[in-house]
Amino acid sequence: VREKTGVDIVKSITGRNAFLALDPVLLLGRDFWDSFAGQITFKQGTYDLYYLNDNSYRGSSFFKQKNNLRGIKKVSVGSFKFFDALDLNFYIRNGKGPISFVGYIKNARFVYTTSFHAVVFCLIFNTQFYVFLSGDKGRDMRIVQILKDFGLSDRIIRKDQVAKFPNTQVNFDLFNMNWA
């Protein structure tokens, strides 16, 4: 099962112990995902990746602070705002498939996401990231759980939070020791 609550449910219904695997993606090693991602390159250079399923996050104080970084290219593989298309540093790369998706995460300078799987791939590739929670406890539970398990809860931004982003790098040591 994928959540700790699922382990408890299986135990209470069947009396058996369930195996907790946060996600099947983590059952494969980094070497597999490195080869799967291929050599995706972004011809325009270094970029931050935006994989958001809700444009309302882009209006948050967090992004107003982050967008002050001049010259950083922004690649979107999720939703975007119309005015993003007017930004000469903004690139839309939707519909390219899973190899491209994983490759863009692997090679990003930074990832901003609402996606559990994007977080997992950031962990696998040790890519710097922030994740925005939806406010839906069921949807957010896996994200909160995995980040808590690896001491990375500071990477979570809640929708209603006035964001102050730490200038510290993500410390992937605990994840790498327990997963790799």
Side-chain angles (χ1 to χ4, degrees):
V1 297
R2 298 194 307 187
E3 290 92 14
K4 288 180 180 178
T5 55
V7 172
D8 298 336
I9 291 169
V10 169
K11 181 72 169 181
S12 70
I13 293 172
T14 68
R16 300 180 74 189
N17 294 323
F19 173 74
L20 176 65
L22 288 175
D23 195 81
V25 167
L26 292 168
L27 298 176
L28 299 169
R30 184 174 285 127
D31 290 342
F32 173 84
W33 292 114
D34 271 335
S35 65
F36 181 83
Q39 296 300 315
I40 300 297
T41 58
F42 182 63
K43 294 176 186 175
Q44 285 73 19
T46 303
Y47 62 92
D48 287 354
L49 182 69
Y50 294 78
Y51 181 52
L52 303 166
N53 64 359
D54 182 345
N55 281 329
S56 67
Y57 296 98
R58 295 292 306 278
S60 73
S61 62
F62 181 86
F63 279 112
K64 288 176 183 162
Q65 293 174 47
K66 293 302 279 181
N67 283 337
N68 289 333
L69 300 174
R70 301 278 181 228
I72 298 295
K73 307 291 189 225
K74 300 172 210 114
V75 173
S76 174
V77 294
S79 66
F80 59 92
K81 291 185 173 208
F82 172 76
F83 290 106
D84 290 332
L86 302 176
D87 181 345
L88 296 176
N89 285 321
F90 191 85
Y91 300 85
I92 302 164
R93 297 294 187 261
N94 289 342
K96 300 285 185 180
I99 292 172
S100 178
F101 170 74
V102 174
Y104 276 119
I105 291 172
K106 175 184 175 186
N107 295 302
R109 181 186 79 96
F110 229 100
V111 174
Y112 305 96
T113 190
T114 54
S115 163
F116 172 78
H117 284 101
V119 169
V120 169
F121 284 114
C122 287
L123 294 171
I124 289 170
F125 296 124
N126 290 188
T127 302
Q128 301 296 309
F129 71 94
Y130 284 103
V131 62
F132 297 83
L133 298 183
S134 68
D136 176 331
K137 278 187 171 185
R139 184 185 178 286
D140 294 339
M141 183 177 12
R142 287 191 304 155
I143 294 170
V144 171
Q145 179 182 323
I146 194 168
L147 294 179
K148 183 179 176 188
D149 288 349
F150 295 112
L152 298 172
S153 296
D154 65 330
R155 308 325 285 181
I156 295 171
I157 305 294
R158 287 174 171 70
K159 203 170 196 174
D160 58 352
Q161 177 180 355
V162 175
K164 292 182 181 177
F165 56 95
N167 290 327
T168 59
Q169 298 288 307
V170 177
N171 182 344
F172 294 102
D173 292 345
L174 185 58
F175 175 78
N176 291 337
M177 286 186 310
N178 287 285
W179 178 72

